[in-house]
Amino acid sequence: MRNITEIYIDGAFVTPHGEEIAELFNPSTEEKIGTVRLGDREDAQAAIAAAKRAFPAFSRTSKAERIDMLQRLAAAVSARAGEMTAAMAEEYGAPQYFTGFSVPYAASAFLKMAEVLETYDFTRVIGRAEVTMQPLGVVAAITPWNSNYGFICAKLATALAAGCTVVIKPSEMSAIQTQLITECLHEAGLPKGVFNIVNGRGDVVGAEFSAHPDIAKVSFTGSTAVGKQILRSGAETLKRVTLELGGKGPNIILDDADLDSAIPTVLMMGLANSGQACIAGTRILAPESRMAEILPRLKAGAEAIKTGDPSDPEVKVGPMVSQKQYDRVQSYIRLGEEEGAELLIGGPGRPEGLERGWFVRPTIFANVHNGMRIAREEIFGPVLSVIPYRDEEDAIRIANDTSYGLQAYVHSSDPARAKRVAEQMESGRVVINGAPHEPLAPFGGFKQSGIGREFGVFGLEAFLEPRAILA
Ligand code: NAD
């Protein structure tokens, strides 16, 4: 049992004023593994005050000083990678291929932003004006549970690179992981108050961060519903916002795709992070002309994907993070059946042989119409819909017929054709034939998948305000 009793304010671990206790679980066993004492509004305010005090000096640090701090943070996070991996498996249920990516990725976020800083020019001349890019002030980062380290580190790295000071509210369901990463970040020895981390409920600490007049910007990753709430509360003080929200990504198999390579990629992009991924390609758009070949291959591919406890290195789909998430995904599987979609594989209940744990059977519905709720709403679990299309134009129309626009996937044997289709996607990112991640490219959504972009120069500038001096 781990009992997390402290939050991190002004460079020190302190007992929160808040007294509410939340329970922590291992989603693979449903066993209680700890508790976390949550901060309240007073704690949120104390964190904001510390960040505000730290801002004047920190905002004046040189690029070289900040690069040095970012490098120290990366080293401090890397130093405890083993423990971080174990905690992510235990508290979140992440399979090993995913922890293997996530933990190094979290540390590398600091190095990537140090790289961006090396070449970024904070001053430029435009005609008579000298324009300097100024840090915004105190920023709040509010993060979800599906990649706790990655979101904390990426937001923190970018805000610090810009010269902003930070208050962070991670998901209350990730407190063991948060404790570890906070200990790492503390080891880096940054000036006190530059970053502060407060465990707490979204409607308490998150709400205080989103409304407090001393917060200049909120960088939020989470659901579209909460994103809209944050935008509304921030409007009163005209806060800048970056919102990284949900998705319902199209996963387009063009009729010339090599199915041997495309099908495993289609499934991986749909079921990544046990389906608990905003970027998941959950709408598989398949040509009618090849449906008879595609469906058996999808079925066979999904059958081969191992679901279970992440301590098994072969496992590719782990449990849902919580009972609530398990129930929600189950209700969507029932909904798919009610809506008349054809169950290709999976279905309600747990996978065979798993009597406990919040495991869901990887489920694929065929013959789905894009108007069905299972095709329109983000399920956030391993549930995919196969939607038939007639021709390329029809595929593009269906792909864009969604209120989301975060990440799309195109599979084709013809690179020029794939690019032409990609260029017509209303989507922040389009991945062709499973191309690898590019950490410095902008990340974020069109439409209701969000506002603004993260990573690289685009992410940095979202924490800066241009000031023009005319002489
Ligand atoms: P969530 O929106 O419920 O919670 C996210 C964070 O917001 C948590 O820290 C939560 O405590 C906090 N929060 C809740 N209510 C709040 C309020 N009223 N004010 C301020 N903060 C509040 O999302 P979740 O269930 O933790 O995560 C899943 C969602 O996140 C999915 O919809 C998914 O698509 C989205 N997501 C998006 C991205 C992206 O980059 N676009 C990445 C991962 C997850």
Side-chain angles (χ1 to χ4, degrees):
M1 281 282 280
R2 287 291 312 275
N3 297 314
I4 311 291
T5 56
E6 293 176 328
I7 53 177
Y8 188 77
I9 296 182
D10 214 13
F13 287 90
V14 296
T15 302
H17 173 268
E19 291 179 349
E20 187 177 340
I21 303 288
E23 297 184 323
L24 303 168
F25 296 92
N26 178 335
S28 303
T29 61
E30 300 178 37
E31 277 162 13
K32 183 174 159 185
I33 53 170
T35 61
V36 53
R37 179 166 167 173
L38 301 175
D40 62 9
R41 283 180 189 269
E42 277 196 35
D43 297 305
Q45 287 157 7
I48 295 168
K52 189 178 177 183
R53 283 193 300 276
F55 179 72
F58 186 69
S59 62
R60 286 194 296 269
T61 50
S62 68
K63 246 165 70 161
E65 285 171 297
R66 298 213 287 278
I67 288 170
D68 176 61
M69 289 184 213
L70 290 167
Q71 286 168 345
R72 277 162 28 212
L73 287 161
V77 171
S78 297
R80 294 181 70 183
E83 286 164 86
M84 285 170 62
T85 302
M88 191 171 172
E90 187 189 17
E91 187 180 40
Y92 173 54
Q96 292 182 21
Y97 83 89
F98 189 65
T99 52
F101 165 82
S102 301
V103 173
Y105 163 78
S108 75
F110 295 107
L111 297 179
K112 287 287 165 198
M113 284 319 295
E115 227 177 83
V116 171
L117 265 192
E118 296 274 3
T119 54
Y120 187 75
D121 208 343
F122 282 83
T123 304
R124 58 196 87 157
V125 173
I126 299 177
R128 294 181 65 93
E130 186 190 72
V131 180
T132 52
M133 299 300 283
Q134 300 293 319
L136 279 171
V138 178
V139 302
I142 303 179
T143 59
W145 40 261
N146 63 334
S147 184
N148 176 68
Y149 306 135
F151 291 124
I152 289 177
C153 291
K155 289 183 194 299
L156 181 62
T158 319
L160 296 182
C164 294
T165 56
V166 191
V167 293
I168 302 174
K169 194 213 87 65
S171 169
E172 53 279 37
M173 281 186 275
S174 312
I176 295 175
Q177 296 163 82
T178 296
Q179 175 68 22
L180 257 176
I181 191 93
T182 311
E183 287 171 16
C184 294
L185 300 172
H186 174 71
E187 278 305 305
L190 265 55
K192 61 181 194 172
V194 165
F195 68 90
N196 307 272
I197 303 183
V198 182
N199 287 313
R201 281 182 20 196
D203 59 353
V204 179
V205 175
E208 185 66 26
F209 283 178
S210 320
H212 198 288
D214 289 339
I215 295 289
K217 173 192 169 107
V218 180
S219 174
F220 171 75
T221 297
S223 61
T224 297
V226 172
K228 289 178 183 176
Q229 234 167 305
I230 288 173
L231 190 59
R232 276 192 283 270
S233 12
E236 194 54 43
T237 48
L238 285 184
K239 289 190 200 323
R240 279 64 180 144
V241 291
T242 299
L243 303 176
E244 300 292 356
L245 310 175
K248 194 76 193 176
N251 208 340
I252 306 176
I253 306 173
L254 290 178
D255 60 10
D256 64 359
D258 168 12
L259 296 182
D260 287 342
S261 61
I263 295 293
T265 315
V266 165
L267 286 169
M268 242 3 258
M269 299 301 149
L271 300 173
N273 197 2
S274 311
Q276 301 178 118
C278 51
I279 56 170
T282 47
R283 287 184 299 142
I284 301 173
L285 271 54
E288 281 170 0
S289 59
R290 297 190 73 186
M291 195 60 83
E293 291 167 83
I294 290 173
L295 290 182
R297 283 168 182 260
L298 283 172
K299 188 172 180 201
E303 264 162 0
I305 290 175
K306 191 160 186 190
T307 301
D309 192 306
S311 59
D312 177 348
E314 297 298 313
V315 159
K316 292 286 182 289
V317 174
M320 302 297 92
V321 72
S322 62
Q323 176 80 52
K324 187 174 154 210
Q325 196 65 16
Y326 173 84
D327 292 341
R328 180 184 146 87
V329 177
Q330 294 292 343
S331 77
Y332 272 105
I333 295 174
R334 289 193 297 273
L335 176 67
E337 293 183 313
E338 285 158 26
E339 287 186 301
E342 190 185 305
L343 195 58
L344 183 67
I345 186 169
R350 286 189 173 73
E352 224 178 83
L354 293 169
E355 307 308 325
R356 56 181 198 158
W358 295 309
F359 295 101
V360 170
R361 298 166 71 189
T363 296
I364 303 180
F365 284 108
N367 225 347
V368 175
H369 182 273
N370 201 44
M372 291 178 181
R373 281 183 56 203
I374 54 164
R376 301 208 78 77
E377 298 173 17
E378 187 181 51
I379 298 173
F380 228 56
V383 182
L384 308 179
S385 294
V386 183
I387 304 172
Y389 71 81
R390 278 187 314 277
D391 52 23
E392 192 178 297
E393 200 185 323
D394 196 33
I396 293 166
R397 182 190 61 77
I398 297 170
N400 289 333
D401 176 18
T402 167
S403 57
Y404 292 114
L406 189 62
Q407 189 148 304
Y409 302 86
V410 181
H411 308 268
S412 168
S413 299
D414 176 352
R417 184 180 179 208
K419 175 115 186 299
R420 195 175 68 227
V421 171
E423 283 167 354
Q424 295 175 76
M425 291 294 104
E426 294 165 3
S427 179
R429 274 195 188 190
V430 188
V431 177
I432 295 175
N433 292 336
H437 180 56
E438 174 46 71
L440 293 182
F443 177 76
F446 280 36
K447 301 190 272 188
Q448 294 190 37
S449 282
I451 295 180
R453 292 293 180 271
E454 294 193 291
F455 302 147
V457 169
F458 289 86
L460 181 70
E461 292 197 332
F463 286 93
L464 296 168
E465 193 87 86
R467 180 174 59 211
I469 296 185
L470 284 69

